[in-house]
Amino acid sequence: MRGGAVAGVVRSGRGTLVRTLAFVFLATFLWLQLHVVSLTGRSLPSSSSANETLFALVPQELHRFLKERRNATVPGNSTGTLSEQEILDIRRQIQRVNEEQRVFNEEAFGPLASDAPVIVVQVHARLSYLRHLIVSLAQARGIEQALLVFSHDVWNPDINYLVQSVDFCRVMQIFYPHSIQTHPRTFPGEDPNDCPRNIHKDQLVNALNLKCINAKHPDLYGHYREAKFTQTKHHWWWKANRVFDQLTVTRNHTGMVLFLEEDHYVAEDFLHVLRLMERTCRHSCERCNVLSLGTYIKTYSYYDEGSRKYLGVNSALQKELLRGLKRQDSLAESAGQTFQGQAAPVWAFQLLPSLYNHYQKAEVTPWISSKHNMGMAFNRITWNELRKCGMQFCSYDDYNWDWSLQHVGQSCLPPSRGAGAAPRVDSGLVAMVMRAPRVFHIGECGVHHKKNNCESNAVIAKVQSVLKAARKHLFPMQLTLTIAAVAKKTKLRKGNGGWGDIRDHELCWNITMYPDLSLP
Ligand SMILES: *[C@@H]1O[C@H](CO)[C@@H](O)[C@H](O)[C@H]1NC(C)=O
Ligand SMILES: *[C@@H]1O[C@H](CO)[C@@H](O)[C@H](O)[C@H]1NC(C)=O
Ligand SMILES: *[C@@H]1O[C@H](CO)[C@@H](O)[C@H](O)[C@H]1NC(C)=O
Ligand SMILES: *[C@@H]1O[C@H](CO)[C@@H](O)[C@H](O)[C@H]1NC(C)=O
Ligand SMILES: *[C@@H]1O[C@H](CO)[C@@H](O)[C@H](O)[C@H]1NC(C)=O
């Protein structure tokens, strides 16, 4: 629940229902404010002052990352479509940059140590979120030791300008070469002769009659591929292959590779915690092969797009919420989508108590995609195992990279043996997860949300305040490990679909087999 949304409801104030809801929100809001005040002595910003707070909590010298370039450019004409010539130019540029493998700021920071953290950020087109991620990275202690790799699937001069203005560590840009932007009318983009998504199984005959290209390859739920949904998984797989196996700068790298997205935000001790987790793994948890710095909070308020209601944070509502989640999940499954895209969980205010109580606790648990996909890190040893399972990753009928990874963990990697008191788990991916997150999701509005304040200021301001309040608790000296109770054997899940097309399987597989395909 965001302050902005609350204010919006109060203002509009029409009808009893709205007023009742507004009251509930306000009560919850005040309750939380009180708690926050009691913990910090100051209140979280309201949405109206969010913008000021946003700048107030960012050191002056970093404001430059938040400001738009004076003559910002948008590629393409007013319709947003690129001409053939523009596409050719972009392809050429991408090829040049990918071949060049330039590391910016290497003169200032020297060669990368083989055990230094490599941070890979998957960037699509959300420039305003990326600005804040960069601001947070700039303030992280130890960032000067890291290599920051931005992996793009859109060539955008403004994004390039921003990324190249980063001067606080080594920076590299890589460009996913099979993007929709550079292949708008042909696979992996959308070919005019592709079958439309919604031809159902019983109409398969139609598809065959239509003679559309992929008639024989609908997904598990009878739907045909949608280019924009498949791109993210391809991009994820491509950048992992690229960073571990193809770049010169990381050829001898033995340390952690941390995966972030453009709408994440990091705490200033995230690299310290990453190193701490790495050490703790070596000494106390040999079977841990994935680290997770961000975790969704167990109790969160929840905005339901369908009923347009906010669910609050007390325990009765929590139960409802969990039921709702399950329901959404199964609905989504039959529709061939995960709940994640439909109604994003909102971590909201519950974060603060959690951060206070658990700032140095970590949990060992089988890696679960929906819980541990944020701010995850692994090293080359884990990657080599994963790459051997490329076939399973690439042919599993699920367009989500994280669900595909979980599937690989359960069906292809050797299951982790429990050593000593540790229980045996049936996944080959065992995660060490921070209880109090060091990576936050600020882009929760997602693509479905049209609210104007959604450009995230209130959310970001809250994360900033929370981190400021928690400041003296950051940088723990050591971690306390707990072993999660492991559920009985988890069933292998049917995929979420969206990945039935053999062209997608083949492209994904080619990415591992033929690295030279990195040229568009
Ligand atoms: C927030 O602040 C920035 C920079 O001062 C300004 O450009 C922008 O218009 C402000 N946005 C709102 C919603 O006030
Ligand atoms: C503005 O655009 C001009 C021409 O396109 C370019 O030469 C100049 O460097 C740009 N200025 C900035 C601040 O990017
Ligand atoms: C924009 O580009 C598209 C594709 O090249 C072209 O068909 C269209 O006429 C262009 N529109 C304008 C206003 O230039
Ligand atoms: C990687 O290690 C090899 C052998 O030790 C060395 O020759 C090579 O220069 C190293 N490459 C990089 C990029 O550090
Ligand atoms: C995969 O690679 C093979 C061999 O280079 C090529 O013939 C095929 O077209 C590629 N498929 C895709 C979907 O990229």
Side-chain angles (χ1 to χ4, degrees):
M1 182 176 71
R2 291 173 313 280
V6 174
V9 173
V10 174
R11 259 199 311 277
S12 71
R14 286 179 306 252
T16 329
L17 178 64
V18 171
R19 270 195 297 274
T20 313
L21 284 175
F23 176 75
V24 171
F25 297 160
L26 211 58
T28 318
F29 187 69
L30 289 174
W31 179 83
L32 287 158
Q33 290 276 342
L34 280 176
H35 277 244
V36 170
V37 170
S38 70
L39 281 166
T40 66
R42 57 190 296 283
S43 107
L44 287 177
S46 72
S47 72
S48 53
S49 66
N51 206 24
E52 291 152 45
T53 319
L54 211 58
F55 276 80
L57 288 179
V58 173
Q60 186 72 39
E61 73 269 20
L62 301 180
H63 286 189
R64 63 199 158 101
F65 293 124
L66 298 178
K67 289 189 179 131
E68 256 170 52
R69 189 153 61 124
R70 207 159 279 132
N71 48 357
T73 43
V74 180
N77 58 24
S78 52
T79 63
T81 345
L82 294 171
S83 68
E84 289 298 330
Q85 189 52 48
E86 284 170 312
I87 292 171
L88 275 178
D89 284 347
I90 291 177
R91 285 195 195 188
R92 259 198 295 272
Q93 306 253 43
I94 287 178
Q95 178 167 357
R96 178 182 57 77
V97 172
N98 280 349
E99 279 174 354
E100 208 172 54
Q101 297 190 25
R102 173 159 176 205
V103 181
F104 293 91
N105 310 326
E106 203 175 22
E107 329 74 53
F109 296 100
L112 183 73
S114 67
D115 64 346
V118 171
I119 303 160
V120 189
V121 185
Q122 183 155 331
V123 185
H124 182 55
R126 295 194 285 167
L127 179 57
S128 56
Y129 288 117
L130 185 60
R131 292 181 185 285
H132 291 283
L133 170 63
I134 287 175
V135 165
S136 72
L137 289 166
Q139 297 175 82
R141 198 182 293 172
I143 191 72
E144 68 284 350
Q145 294 160 17
L147 168 67
L148 190 51
V149 180
F150 292 90
S151 184
H152 303 268
D153 55 35
V154 170
W155 177 275
N156 174 315
D158 295 333
I159 294 180
N160 292 346
Y161 179 84
L162 172 68
V163 164
Q164 287 166 23
S165 71
V166 171
D167 52 4
F168 50 80
C169 69
R170 299 171 195 82
V171 170
M172 184 171 201
Q173 285 188 287
I174 59 179
F175 287 88
Y176 171 62
H178 315 289
S179 70
I180 297 173
Q181 187 191 35
T182 54
H183 302 79
R185 285 172 288 279
T186 163
F187 182 87
E190 214 169 287
D191 193 296
N193 295 318
D194 281 351
C195 304
R197 172 182 187 267
N198 283 317
I199 299 185
H200 288 287
K201 268 183 194 132
D202 46 329
Q203 295 171 292
L204 239 180
V205 185
N206 274 346
L208 293 172
N209 285 341
L210 278 173
K211 293 202 167 49
C212 44
I213 295 177
N214 45 343
K216 289 193 185 135
H217 306 288
D219 71 4
L220 275 170
Y221 306 93
H223 298 304
Y224 290 103
R225 85 186 284 271
E226 285 175 283
K228 65 174 185 290
F229 288 126
T230 65
Q231 174 159 284
T232 309
K233 176 168 165 179
H234 281 304
H235 184 176
W236 194 91
W237 186 242
W238 178 81
K239 80 183 176 191
N241 276 271
R242 188 86 185 142
V243 168
F244 278 109
D245 294 333
Q246 297 165 19
L247 296 180
T248 310
V249 65
T250 48
R251 185 162 296 156
N252 297 336
H253 186 253
T254 56
M256 282 292 157
V257 175
L258 173 69
F259 294 92
L260 297 179
E261 290 170 30
E262 65 192 346
D263 60 351
H264 288 171
Y265 192 97
V266 299
E268 70 178 274
D269 70 342
F270 87 107
L271 288 173
H272 168 87
V273 169
L274 188 68
R275 296 253 196 193
L276 197 54
M277 291 174 95
E278 218 179 329
R279 269 205 303 279
T280 309
C281 270
R282 265 201 301 278
H283 295 137
S284 312
C285 187
E286 242 176 277
R287 69 207 178 104
C288 291
N289 52 10
V290 181
L291 308 181
S292 175
L293 286 173
T295 178
Y296 297 97
I297 306 304
K298 283 194 194 88
T299 53
Y300 33 65
S301 68
Y302 192 75
Y303 180 70
D304 182 80
E305 196 85 45
S307 64
R308 310 193 66 72
K309 275 188 195 164
Y310 287 94
L311 302 179
V313 287
N314 70 35
S315 65
L317 281 172
Q318 264 177 53
K319 279 191 196 126
E320 178 60 31
L321 184 134
L322 290 174
R323 274 201 296 277
L325 263 184
K326 283 204 194 96
R327 203 161 47 233
Q328 280 247 320
D329 206 7
S330 59
L331 276 178
E333 191 170 312
S334 57
Q337 296 187 324
T338 65
F339 72 85
Q340 285 169 295
Q342 303 190 331
V346 179
W347 52 265
F349 298 91
Q350 281 297 310
L351 182 63
L352 191 53
S354 159
L355 202 53
Y356 272 94
N357 295 334
H358 302 301
Y359 60 90
Q360 63 170 21
K361 288 186 187 159
E363 187 172 60
V364 176
T365 167
W367 188 81
I368 307 287
S369 59
S370 55
K371 288 189 191 163
H372 310 136
N373 62 3
M374 236 173 74
M376 68 179 275
F378 50 80
N379 63 16
R380 187 178 296 282
I381 296 170
T382 305
W383 167 248
N384 286 341
E385 295 288 315
L386 288 176
R387 196 193 36 206
K388 280 188 226 152
C389 297
M391 217 33 143
Q392 279 77 1
F393 182 88
C394 291
S395 57
Y396 181 56
D397 189 355
D398 194 322
Y399 71 94
N400 300 286
W401 64 266
D402 51 347
W403 285 107
S404 309
L405 220 51
Q406 181 174 331
H407 174 77
V408 162
Q410 291 174 340
S411 68
C412 177
L413 296 179
S416 149
R417 284 185 316 267
R424 184 192 157 88
V425 300
D426 59 347
S427 172
L429 288 176
V430 178
M432 184 182 288
V433 181
M434 285 309 288
R435 278 282 183 79
R438 263 46 178 206
V439 173
F440 305 87
H441 187 221
I442 55 175
E444 62 196 19
C445 301
V447 279
H448 303 269
H449 216 298
K450 295 266 153 50
K451 266 216 122 85
N452 46 5
N453 194 38
C454 216
E455 277 293 312
S456 66
N457 284 2
V459 177
I460 295 165
K462 265 168 215 153
V463 173
Q464 287 174 347
S465 314
V466 164
L467 284 172
K468 193 167 178 229
R471 206 153 177 216
K472 61 176 181 292
H473 300 288
L474 298 180
F475 296 99
M477 297 294 287
Q478 59 178 31
L479 295 183
T480 316
L481 277 191
T482 56
I483 312 282
V486 183
K488 279 158 258 129
K489 192 162 174 61
T490 37
K491 262 199 330 231
L492 273 186
R493 285 176 53 104
K494 213 159 81 155
N496 289 302
W499 196 267
D501 200 308
I502 50 164
R503 292 173 300 175
D504 282 315
H505 301 183
E506 197 178 86
L507 173 61
C508 177
W509 185 233
N510 276 1
I511 284 171
T512 301
M513 293 300 287
Y514 308 106
D516 289 343
L517 281 177
S518 288
L519 312 180

